[in-house]
Amino acid sequence: MHQNSSIPFRLGIRAHDLGRFSAVELARRVRAEGMDCVQLALGKAIEGMEMQVETLNAEMASEIRAAFDNYEVRIEVLGCYI
């Protein structure tokens, strides 16, 4: 198999394995564990997030992304179990 050295290796975690916190606190904890990226199941990982179709909106998504961007943690997989 040919390896492309321009593709960085990133280490990730299922965010909810760390617990359920605000987006900012969760992102901080992910980075503190040395992780670069997450699988983010919103209802399992973000405190106060009750997963219903009407809950999801652009403002909420922007706030969560900004929190993770601030800690340089990529959301690689978004799991929205509704």
PDB file of all heavy atoms in Angstrom, residues 1 3 5 7-8 10-11 15 26 30 32 35 40-41 45 47-48 52 54 56 65 67-68 74-76 82:
ATOM      1  N   MET A   1       0.839  -1.176   0.000  1.00  0.00           N
ATOM      2  CA  MET A   1       0.000   0.000   0.000  1.00  0.00           C
ATOM      3  C   MET A   1       0.885   1.240   0.000  1.00  0.00           C
ATOM      4  O   MET A   1       1.793   1.363   0.806  1.00  0.00           O
ATOM      5  CB  MET A   1      -0.910  -0.042   1.221  1.00  0.00           C
ATOM      6  CG  MET A   1      -1.787   1.165   1.362  1.00  0.00           C
ATOM      7  SD  MET A   1      -2.815   1.018   2.846  1.00  0.00           S
ATOM      8  CE  MET A   1      -4.322   1.590   2.173  1.00  0.00           C
ATOM      9  N   GLN A   3       1.912   4.887   0.870  1.00  0.00           N
ATOM     10  CA  GLN A   3       1.629   5.830   1.943  1.00  0.00           C
ATOM     11  C   GLN A   3       1.888   7.238   1.456  1.00  0.00           C
ATOM     12  O   GLN A   3       2.920   7.517   0.859  1.00  0.00           O
ATOM     13  CB  GLN A   3       2.494   5.548   3.165  1.00  0.00           C
ATOM     14  CG  GLN A   3       2.125   4.256   3.839  1.00  0.00           C
ATOM     15  CD  GLN A   3       2.913   4.068   5.120  1.00  0.00           C
ATOM     16  OE1 GLN A   3       3.888   4.749   5.370  1.00  0.00           O
ATOM     17  NE2 GLN A   3       2.478   3.131   5.925  1.00  0.00           N
ATOM     18  N   SER A   5       2.718  10.779   2.604  1.00  0.00           N
ATOM     19  CA  SER A   5       3.230  11.466   3.791  1.00  0.00           C
ATOM     20  C   SER A   5       2.602  12.835   3.995  1.00  0.00           C
ATOM     21  O   SER A   5       2.795  13.446   5.038  1.00  0.00           O
ATOM     22  CB  SER A   5       4.752  11.596   3.702  1.00  0.00           C
ATOM     23  OG  SER A   5       5.112  12.356   2.568  1.00  0.00           O
ATOM     24  N   ILE A   7      -0.571  13.364   4.272  1.00  0.00           N
ATOM     25  CA  ILE A   7      -1.781  13.205   5.074  1.00  0.00           C
ATOM     26  C   ILE A   7      -1.368  13.007   6.528  1.00  0.00           C
ATOM     27  O   ILE A   7      -0.717  12.026   6.867  1.00  0.00           O
ATOM     28  CB  ILE A   7      -2.623  12.019   4.585  1.00  0.00           C
ATOM     29  CG1 ILE A   7      -3.052  12.247   3.145  1.00  0.00           C
ATOM     30  CG2 ILE A   7      -3.833  11.828   5.486  1.00  0.00           C
ATOM     31  CD1 ILE A   7      -3.750  11.062   2.520  1.00  0.00           C
ATOM     32  N   PRO A   8      -1.743  13.960   7.398  1.00  0.00           N
ATOM     33  CA  PRO A   8      -1.313  13.849   8.804  1.00  0.00           C
ATOM     34  C   PRO A   8      -2.060  12.743   9.546  1.00  0.00           C
ATOM     35  O   PRO A   8      -3.216  12.460   9.257  1.00  0.00           O
ATOM     36  CB  PRO A   8      -1.667  15.215   9.387  1.00  0.00           C
ATOM     37  CG  PRO A   8      -2.803  15.693   8.552  1.00  0.00           C
ATOM     38  CD  PRO A   8      -2.552  15.148   7.171  1.00  0.00           C
ATOM     39  N   ARG A  10      -3.893  11.669  12.771  1.00  0.00           N
ATOM     40  CA  ARG A  10      -4.570  12.301  13.894  1.00  0.00           C
ATOM     41  C   ARG A  10      -5.118  11.229  14.822  1.00  0.00           C
ATOM     42  O   ARG A  10      -5.619  10.207  14.374  1.00  0.00           O
ATOM     43  CB  ARG A  10      -5.704  13.200  13.399  1.00  0.00           C
ATOM     44  CG  ARG A  10      -5.217  14.431  12.690  1.00  0.00           C
ATOM     45  CD  ARG A  10      -6.348  15.371  12.338  1.00  0.00           C
ATOM     46  NE  ARG A  10      -7.215  14.859  11.299  1.00  0.00           N
ATOM     47  CZ  ARG A  10      -7.022  15.027   9.999  1.00  0.00           C
ATOM     48  NH1 ARG A  10      -5.972  15.679   9.567  1.00  0.00           N
ATOM     49  NH2 ARG A  10      -7.877  14.552   9.129  1.00  0.00           N
ATOM     50  N   LEU A  11      -5.055  11.498  16.101  1.00  0.00           N
ATOM     51  CA  LEU A  11      -5.565  10.573  17.101  1.00  0.00           C
ATOM     52  C   LEU A  11      -6.861  11.144  17.662  1.00  0.00           C
ATOM     53  O   LEU A  11      -6.916  12.316  18.043  1.00  0.00           O
ATOM     54  CB  LEU A  11      -4.531  10.399  18.218  1.00  0.00           C
ATOM     55  CG  LEU A  11      -4.822   9.340  19.262  1.00  0.00           C
ATOM     56  CD1 LEU A  11      -4.983   7.962  18.614  1.00  0.00           C
ATOM     57  CD2 LEU A  11      -3.704   9.306  20.280  1.00  0.00           C
ATOM     58  N   ALA A  15     -16.093  11.485  21.893  1.00  0.00           N
ATOM     59  CA  ALA A  15     -16.110  12.549  22.901  1.00  0.00           C
ATOM     60  C   ALA A  15     -16.897  12.153  24.146  1.00  0.00           C
ATOM     61  O   ALA A  15     -16.504  12.483  25.268  1.00  0.00           O
ATOM     62  CB  ALA A  15     -16.674  13.831  22.304  1.00  0.00           C
ATOM     63  N   LEU A  26     -15.782  20.272  27.118  1.00  0.00           N
ATOM     64  CA  LEU A  26     -15.503  19.014  26.433  1.00  0.00           C
ATOM     65  C   LEU A  26     -14.302  19.155  25.514  1.00  0.00           C
ATOM     66  O   LEU A  26     -13.401  18.311  25.526  1.00  0.00           O
ATOM     67  CB  LEU A  26     -16.733  18.561  25.653  1.00  0.00           C
ATOM     68  CG  LEU A  26     -16.635  17.209  24.976  1.00  0.00           C
ATOM     69  CD1 LEU A  26     -16.346  16.098  25.984  1.00  0.00           C
ATOM     70  CD2 LEU A  26     -17.920  16.923  24.214  1.00  0.00           C
ATOM     71  N   VAL A  30     -10.793  17.093  25.753  1.00  0.00           N
ATOM     72  CA  VAL A  30     -10.285  16.307  24.628  1.00  0.00           C
ATOM     73  C   VAL A  30      -8.834  16.681  24.361  1.00  0.00           C
ATOM     74  O   VAL A  30      -7.961  15.823  24.220  1.00  0.00           O
ATOM     75  CB  VAL A  30     -11.152  16.513  23.371  1.00  0.00           C
ATOM     76  CG1 VAL A  30     -10.481  15.938  22.135  1.00  0.00           C
ATOM     77  CG2 VAL A  30     -12.542  15.913  23.569  1.00  0.00           C
ATOM     78  N   ALA A  32      -6.746  18.122  26.431  1.00  0.00           N
ATOM     79  CA  ALA A  32      -5.928  17.749  27.593  1.00  0.00           C
ATOM     80  C   ALA A  32      -5.542  16.267  27.549  1.00  0.00           C
ATOM     81  O   ALA A  32      -4.490  15.885  28.063  1.00  0.00           O
ATOM     82  CB  ALA A  32      -6.670  18.062  28.893  1.00  0.00           C
ATOM     83  N   MET A  35      -5.740  14.434  22.385  1.00  0.00           N
ATOM     84  CA  MET A  35      -6.451  14.031  21.173  1.00  0.00           C
ATOM     85  C   MET A  35      -6.560  15.204  20.198  1.00  0.00           C
ATOM     86  O   MET A  35      -6.633  16.354  20.604  1.00  0.00           O
ATOM     87  CB  MET A  35      -7.852  13.524  21.515  1.00  0.00           C
ATOM     88  CG  MET A  35      -7.867  12.346  22.442  1.00  0.00           C
ATOM     89  SD  MET A  35      -7.116  10.900  21.694  1.00  0.00           S
ATOM     90  CE  MET A  35      -6.648   9.997  23.139  1.00  0.00           C
ATOM     91  N   LEU A  40     -18.325  13.103  17.575  1.00  0.00           N
ATOM     92  CA  LEU A  40     -19.175  13.877  18.474  1.00  0.00           C
ATOM     93  C   LEU A  40     -20.631  13.472  18.307  1.00  0.00           C
ATOM     94  O   LEU A  40     -21.261  13.764  17.283  1.00  0.00           O
ATOM     95  CB  LEU A  40     -19.010  15.375  18.196  1.00  0.00           C
ATOM     96  CG  LEU A  40     -19.790  16.319  19.103  1.00  0.00           C
ATOM     97  CD1 LEU A  40     -19.345  16.156  20.561  1.00  0.00           C
ATOM     98  CD2 LEU A  40     -19.601  17.763  18.652  1.00  0.00           C
ATOM     99  N   ALA A  41     -21.160  12.772  19.298  1.00  0.00           N
ATOM    100  CA  ALA A  41     -22.584  12.442  19.370  1.00  0.00           C
ATOM    101  C   ALA A  41     -23.190  13.498  20.284  1.00  0.00           C
ATOM    102  O   ALA A  41     -23.037  13.435  21.505  1.00  0.00           O
ATOM    103  CB  ALA A  41     -22.782  11.043  19.915  1.00  0.00           C
ATOM    104  N   ALA A  45     -22.774  13.816  24.403  1.00  0.00           N
ATOM    105  CA  ALA A  45     -21.553  14.492  24.833  1.00  0.00           C
ATOM    106  C   ALA A  45     -21.744  15.931  25.298  1.00  0.00           C
ATOM    107  O   ALA A  45     -20.979  16.410  26.127  1.00  0.00           O
ATOM    108  CB  ALA A  45     -20.529  14.470  23.700  1.00  0.00           C
ATOM    109  N   GLU A  47     -23.598  18.725  27.295  1.00  0.00           N
ATOM    110  CA  GLU A  47     -24.490  18.913  28.438  1.00  0.00           C
ATOM    111  C   GLU A  47     -25.676  19.796  28.046  1.00  0.00           C
ATOM    112  O   GLU A  47     -25.508  20.822  27.390  1.00  0.00           O
ATOM    113  CB  GLU A  47     -23.692  19.581  29.557  1.00  0.00           C
ATOM    114  CG  GLU A  47     -24.396  19.676  30.869  1.00  0.00           C
ATOM    115  CD  GLU A  47     -23.450  20.224  31.925  1.00  0.00           C
ATOM    116  OE1 GLU A  47     -22.982  21.363  31.763  1.00  0.00           O
ATOM    117  OE2 GLU A  47     -23.180  19.492  32.881  1.00  0.00           O
ATOM    118  N   GLY A  48     -26.871  19.369  28.441  1.00  0.00           N
ATOM    119  CA  GLY A  48     -28.069  20.147  28.162  1.00  0.00           C
ATOM    120  C   GLY A  48     -28.625  19.972  26.763  1.00  0.00           C
ATOM    121  O   GLY A  48     -29.642  20.568  26.420  1.00  0.00           O
ATOM    122  N   GLN A  52     -33.519  16.448  19.517  1.00  0.00           N
ATOM    123  CA  GLN A  52     -34.773  16.430  18.777  1.00  0.00           C
ATOM    124  C   GLN A  52     -34.520  17.229  17.516  1.00  0.00           C
ATOM    125  O   GLN A  52     -33.663  18.114  17.491  1.00  0.00           O
ATOM    126  CB  GLN A  52     -35.885  17.064  19.600  1.00  0.00           C
ATOM    127  CG  GLN A  52     -36.159  16.322  20.897  1.00  0.00           C
ATOM    128  CD  GLN A  52     -37.120  17.076  21.790  1.00  0.00           C
ATOM    129  OE1 GLN A  52     -37.560  18.166  21.479  1.00  0.00           O
ATOM    130  NE2 GLN A  52     -37.443  16.482  22.929  1.00  0.00           N
ATOM    131  N   GLU A  54     -35.968  19.649  16.112  1.00  0.00           N
ATOM    132  CA  GLU A  54     -36.070  21.114  16.248  1.00  0.00           C
ATOM    133  C   GLU A  54     -34.939  21.721  17.077  1.00  0.00           C
ATOM    134  O   GLU A  54     -34.763  22.936  17.111  1.00  0.00           O
ATOM    135  CB  GLU A  54     -37.433  21.518  16.821  1.00  0.00           C
ATOM    136  CG  GLU A  54     -37.753  20.934  18.182  1.00  0.00           C
ATOM    137  CD  GLU A  54     -38.422  19.558  18.129  1.00  0.00           C
ATOM    138  OE1 GLU A  54     -38.577  18.983  17.043  1.00  0.00           O
ATOM    139  OE2 GLU A  54     -38.796  19.060  19.204  1.00  0.00           O
ATOM    140  N   LEU A  56     -31.662  21.194  16.566  1.00  0.00           N
ATOM    141  CA  LEU A  56     -30.522  21.484  15.705  1.00  0.00           C
ATOM    142  C   LEU A  56     -30.743  22.777  14.924  1.00  0.00           C
ATOM    143  O   LEU A  56     -31.771  22.950  14.276  1.00  0.00           O
ATOM    144  CB  LEU A  56     -30.301  20.330  14.731  1.00  0.00           C
ATOM    145  CG  LEU A  56     -30.087  18.966  15.374  1.00  0.00           C
ATOM    146  CD1 LEU A  56     -30.020  17.898  14.306  1.00  0.00           C
ATOM    147  CD2 LEU A  56     -28.841  18.960  16.221  1.00  0.00           C
ATOM    148  N   ARG A  65     -18.793  24.378  17.057  1.00  0.00           N
ATOM    149  CA  ARG A  65     -17.591  24.378  16.220  1.00  0.00           C
ATOM    150  C   ARG A  65     -16.559  25.368  16.746  1.00  0.00           C
ATOM    151  O   ARG A  65     -15.361  25.063  16.805  1.00  0.00           O
ATOM    152  CB  ARG A  65     -17.938  24.708  14.781  1.00  0.00           C
ATOM    153  CG  ARG A  65     -16.692  24.697  13.922  1.00  0.00           C
ATOM    154  CD  ARG A  65     -16.984  24.877  12.484  1.00  0.00           C
ATOM    155  NE  ARG A  65     -15.711  24.830  11.759  1.00  0.00           N
ATOM    156  CZ  ARG A  65     -15.621  24.757  10.469  1.00  0.00           C
ATOM    157  NH1 ARG A  65     -16.696  24.714   9.733  1.00  0.00           N
ATOM    158  NH2 ARG A  65     -14.445  24.729   9.889  1.00  0.00           N
ATOM    159  N   ALA A  67     -16.085  26.367  19.788  1.00  0.00           N
ATOM    160  CA  ALA A  67     -15.480  25.830  21.012  1.00  0.00           C
ATOM    161  C   ALA A  67     -14.379  24.829  20.665  1.00  0.00           C
ATOM    162  O   ALA A  67     -13.282  24.873  21.239  1.00  0.00           O
ATOM    163  CB  ALA A  67     -16.551  25.169  21.881  1.00  0.00           C
ATOM    164  N   PHE A  68     -14.652  23.938  19.719  1.00  0.00           N
ATOM    165  CA  PHE A  68     -13.661  22.935  19.336  1.00  0.00           C
ATOM    166  C   PHE A  68     -12.513  23.565  18.548  1.00  0.00           C
ATOM    167  O   PHE A  68     -11.362  23.181  18.732  1.00  0.00           O
ATOM    168  CB  PHE A  68     -14.328  21.786  18.574  1.00  0.00           C
ATOM    169  CG  PHE A  68     -15.002  20.806  19.498  1.00  0.00           C
ATOM    170  CD1 PHE A  68     -16.248  21.075  20.038  1.00  0.00           C
ATOM    171  CD2 PHE A  68     -14.376  19.623  19.852  1.00  0.00           C
ATOM    172  CE1 PHE A  68     -16.860  20.191  20.905  1.00  0.00           C
ATOM    173  CE2 PHE A  68     -14.971  18.733  20.721  1.00  0.00           C
ATOM    174  CZ  PHE A  68     -16.223  19.014  21.253  1.00  0.00           C
ATOM    175  N   ARG A  74     -10.601  18.795  15.881  1.00  0.00           N
ATOM    176  CA  ARG A  74     -11.485  18.627  14.730  1.00  0.00           C
ATOM    177  C   ARG A  74     -12.621  17.684  15.069  1.00  0.00           C
ATOM    178  O   ARG A  74     -12.411  16.673  15.739  1.00  0.00           O
ATOM    179  CB  ARG A  74     -10.709  18.076  13.547  1.00  0.00           C
ATOM    180  CG  ARG A  74      -9.697  19.067  13.011  1.00  0.00           C
ATOM    181  CD  ARG A  74      -8.871  18.480  11.920  1.00  0.00           C
ATOM    182  NE  ARG A  74      -9.723  17.907  10.864  1.00  0.00           N
ATOM    183  CZ  ARG A  74      -9.443  17.950   9.582  1.00  0.00           C
ATOM    184  NH1 ARG A  74      -8.334  18.516   9.171  1.00  0.00           N
ATOM    185  NH2 ARG A  74     -10.239  17.415   8.692  1.00  0.00           N
ATOM    186  N   ILE A  75     -13.794  17.998  14.588  1.00  0.00           N
ATOM    187  CA  ILE A  75     -14.944  17.097  14.694  1.00  0.00           C
ATOM    188  C   ILE A  75     -14.939  16.289  13.391  1.00  0.00           C
ATOM    189  O   ILE A  75     -15.359  16.765  12.350  1.00  0.00           O
ATOM    190  CB  ILE A  75     -16.259  17.865  14.891  1.00  0.00           C
ATOM    191  CG1 ILE A  75     -16.193  18.697  16.167  1.00  0.00           C
ATOM    192  CG2 ILE A  75     -17.436  16.879  14.935  1.00  0.00           C
ATOM    193  CD1 ILE A  75     -17.342  19.671  16.341  1.00  0.00           C
ATOM    194  N   GLU A  76     -14.410  15.082  13.454  1.00  0.00           N
ATOM    195  CA  GLU A  76     -14.270  14.238  12.269  1.00  0.00           C
ATOM    196  C   GLU A  76     -15.540  13.481  11.940  1.00  0.00           C
ATOM    197  O   GLU A  76     -15.842  13.246  10.774  1.00  0.00           O
ATOM    198  CB  GLU A  76     -13.120  13.246  12.450  1.00  0.00           C
ATOM    199  CG  GLU A  76     -11.766  13.898  12.558  1.00  0.00           C
ATOM    200  CD  GLU A  76     -11.231  14.465  11.242  1.00  0.00           C
ATOM    201  OE1 GLU A  76     -11.837  14.247  10.188  1.00  0.00           O
ATOM    202  OE2 GLU A  76     -10.192  15.119  11.289  1.00  0.00           O
ATOM    203  N   ILE A  82     -31.180  10.639  16.653  1.00  0.00           N
ATOM    204  CA  ILE A  82     -32.500  11.210  16.965  1.00  0.00           C
ATOM    205  C   ILE A  82     -33.529  10.108  16.849  1.00  0.00           C
ATOM    206  O   ILE A  82     -33.583   9.416  15.871  1.00  0.00           O
ATOM    207  CB  ILE A  82     -32.849  12.367  15.989  1.00  0.00           C
ATOM    208  CG1 ILE A  82     -31.828  13.481  16.135  1.00  0.00           C
ATOM    209  CG2 ILE A  82     -34.248  12.871  16.254  1.00  0.00           C
ATOM    210  CD1 ILE A  82     -32.013  14.615  15.156  1.00  0.00           C
TER     211      ILE A  82
END
